[in-house]
Structure formats: C-alpha cells, structure tokens
Amino acid sequence: MPLRCAILDDYQNVALKFADWSSLKDRIDITVFDKPFASQDEAVRALQDFEIVCAMRERTPFPREVLTALPKLKLLLTSGMRNASFDLEAAKERGVTVCGTGGVGNATASLAIGLMLELTRKIGFENARMHDGELWQTTMGQDVEGMTLGVVGLGKLGTKVAAIAKALGMNVIAWSQNLTPEACAAAGVSYATKDELFATADIVTIHTILSKRTRGLITRDDLAQMKPTSYLVNTARGPIVDEAALLDTLQRRKIAGAGLDTFSQEPLPLDHLLRKLDNVVLTPHLGYVTENNYRRYYGDMVEDIAAWLSGAPVRVMT
C-alpha cells in the first residue's frame, strides 16, 4: 500500500509541475495543501495519516508538540538545508528522518535591491497610477548613488547585496555579531559598529539567519538611532526585528519608510496595521520564490523521498 505524502503550503499550485513525481507514483500517494493551516491544531488534524511531509520553508512549523502529535510521520522534508521552525532533536527522538534540498543562486538579493529601488524611486507606485489613469508625475525620486547602505549580516546574501549596491555607486558598511573588519575588507566594504551602522546608513538591509541569538536583534533603540530620511529593508525573517517597535517608528514617521518581505506572523493578517501605512512597501515573503528555486526544491524532494524509500537517505539534517 502506498505511503501517504503531504505537500504543504503550495500557494501557487506548482509543486507537481516543477518536478517529475512519476517515479514515485506506485510508492506514494500525494496530497497537495495549497492554503496555510489556520492553527497548529488544524495542521495536526490534517496530517494525522501521513508518513511523509514536504514543507516549504517555515510556512508550517514543526515544533516538538506537533511532531509528538503525528505518530505516523516518518520522513519530514524542507526546502533548503536550514529550517528554524523544525525541532530536529524531537524529530530524532521520534525516529523521524529530516532531509533538506539545495537551492539556486541568491534570489533574495535581487528582491532586497528591488525593495530599495521601490522605496527610493516609487516604480510600482507610479506604475499603479499610470494604469489607473492618474495625473502625470507626482513623485520625486532619490538617487541611491552616493547613499550609504548598512548591511546587517555579511554572509552569502549580504555579500551579494553589497556587491550590487557598490555597482550602483553606494557606499557600503556592514555589521553583525561575529563580523570582523578583516572579513569586511575581504568583501570590499567598510566595517561599522552596530551603533555606527544604524546612525549613518541611508538604507539598512538585514541578511542574518533567524536563531535564538538573532531573534529581536534589531531593537527599538536601534531604530531610534536611524535618520528620519533613512529606510529599513528586511528580507531575512520578521522576528529579527522588534515588529511592534518598527510599527510604532513607521506610524510616527521617525524614519522615511521600510521595505518588508518577512513578518512575525505569516501570512500577514488582512487587518494588520502594516497594511495600512503609506510609507511601507510590502511583499508576501517572495525572497526565495523563483522558478529556478522551486525546480530545485521539488526536484530534490523527489530525490530525497526515493533515497529514503531505498534505505539510503540523502541531505539528512541533524
């Protein structure tokens, strides 16, 4: 009898199109969930009879209490090789194999730059006005050339964003908890303390991973140091920033605006106050949502399942 496999949070209904699942058709029975679960309890009820679950990033969390409530679960997959919402220790204790996938390029870097350009040049705003038949030219753009970009987290993504920013003529400074001046020099950017970065940057962009150490990393005090003409861009994870403090800062117009792709609660509730602000550019966590990434994610998931069924799992997360 085939094992039951759940593909979760396939919002665009593309999981079965971006990979060839036919090699598994006699061994697994696939059910696609194209909407987010309303609660943890709903997720548990829906997944009770599944041995295999394919998760998309952290859209559906799997903490200890969820894993404990799913006795049939044997294989848990995630797109990418890191998932802050999975309790790997609990999975191991329950005998659940957890595997990841590869990814393609630095898709989030281009989105971060796009948010910066929308904030400073209002491209999408003016496009909407043109389509609505509104008056000609109402905004006055700002030149990013000559601005200072403050990069929080100079890893793979942060370095890519820094390189693009430099090509646009921006001055780039960087800080993170473990970053050194030597690492900055190797990336061709200037090192700054946290205080210096928030006080001097015209745009602050966040590229650290979410962990216990980085949750709430960007505090109310950090936001208070930003110039009233500056912008914050977050394409990393919502909880890295004190969201209540950011909302208050934006409402009081203490900074010029923000470009946000990630939020503390996702999907962002329809009545969330961030949706009401005219100094915020919002995108629905699109950083990794590209055709090439999805082909790699779902293609690797097919390989992960086949390898696990043969008794030799690959890309195992521990």
Side-chain angles (χ1 to χ4, degrees), residues 148-152 171-175 189-192 196-198 200-201:
T148 295
L149 177 67
V151 181
V152 177
N171 170 49
V172 183
I173 60 177
W175 170 86
V189 305
S190 300
Y191 175 81
E196 289 169 345
L197 185 143
F198 279 90
T200 62

Side-chain angles (χ1 to χ4, degrees), residues 238-239 243 260-266 268 274 282-285:
E243 193 170 273
L260 307 175
D261 186 49
T262 57
F263 310 91
S264 294
Q265 182 181 355
E266 296 183 2
L268 190 67
L274 282 172
L282 304 173
T283 50
H285 206 151

Side-chain angles (χ1 to χ4, degrees), residues 18 56-57 79-81 100-111 156-157 160 286-300 315:
F18 277 107
M56 177 55 69
R57 310 303 289 170
S79 54
M81 285 302 298
T101 74
V104 177
N106 299 286
T108 303
S110 60
L111 182 70
K156 181 180 178 182
L157 278 172
K160 183 68 173 181
L286 295 178
Y288 59 88
V289 182
T290 66
E291 292 183 5
N292 285 340
N293 257 338
Y294 271 38
R295 287 191 181 93
R296 181 65 180 273
Y297 289 160
Y298 289 121
D300 282 2
R315 291 183 283 266

Side-chain angles (χ1 to χ4, degrees), residues 99-274:
C99 297
T101 74
V104 177
N106 299 286
T108 303
S110 60
L111 182 70
I113 295 294
L115 288 172
M116 295 177 205
L117 294 177
E118 176 59 30
L119 288 166
T120 55
R121 296 305 308 270
K122 307 293 191 294
I123 301 166
F125 175 79
E126 290 290 8
N127 171 67
R129 292 186 66 264
M130 291 285 285
H131 282 287
D132 288 342
E134 304 239 359
L135 295 175
W136 189 256
Q137 288 187 1
T138 60
T139 60
M140 182 69 67
Q142 298 170 281
D143 294 307
V144 295
E145 184 174 2
M147 283 188 176
T148 295
L149 177 67
V151 181
V152 177
L154 198 64
K156 181 180 178 182
L157 278 172
T159 300
K160 183 68 173 181
V161 170
I164 299 171
K166 288 171 61 183
L168 292 172
M170 301 183 78
N171 170 49
V172 183
I173 60 177
W175 170 86
S176 69
Q177 291 153 312
N178 293 329
L179 190 60
T180 64
E182 291 76 19
C184 286
V189 305
S190 300
Y191 175 81
T193 65
K194 189 182 186 186
D195 288 345
E196 289 169 345
L197 185 143
F198 279 90
T200 62
D202 297 296
I203 302 174
V204 174
T205 183
I206 302 168
H207 299 288
T208 60
I209 65 170
L210 177 62
S211 66
K212 291 180 179 178
R213 192 172 60 160
T214 62
R215 186 176 292 272
L217 177 68
I218 310 306
T219 67
R220 183 178 294 273
D221 288 343
D222 296 325
L223 298 172
Q225 292 191 76
M226 295 177 67
K227 298 184 292 188
T229 54
S230 63
Y231 301 96
L232 179 78
V233 172
N234 187 7
T235 57
R237 290 295 184 273
I240 294 172
V241 180
D242 181 336
E243 193 170 273
L246 177 59
L247 179 61
D248 180 60
T249 299
L250 291 165
Q251 287 174 322
R252 294 189 296 123
R253 298 188 178 273
K254 293 297 184 180
I255 61 175
L260 307 175
D261 186 49
T262 57
F263 310 91
S264 294
Q265 182 181 355
E266 296 183 2
L268 190 67
L270 294 178
D271 61 351
H272 199 287
L273 291 175
L274 282 172

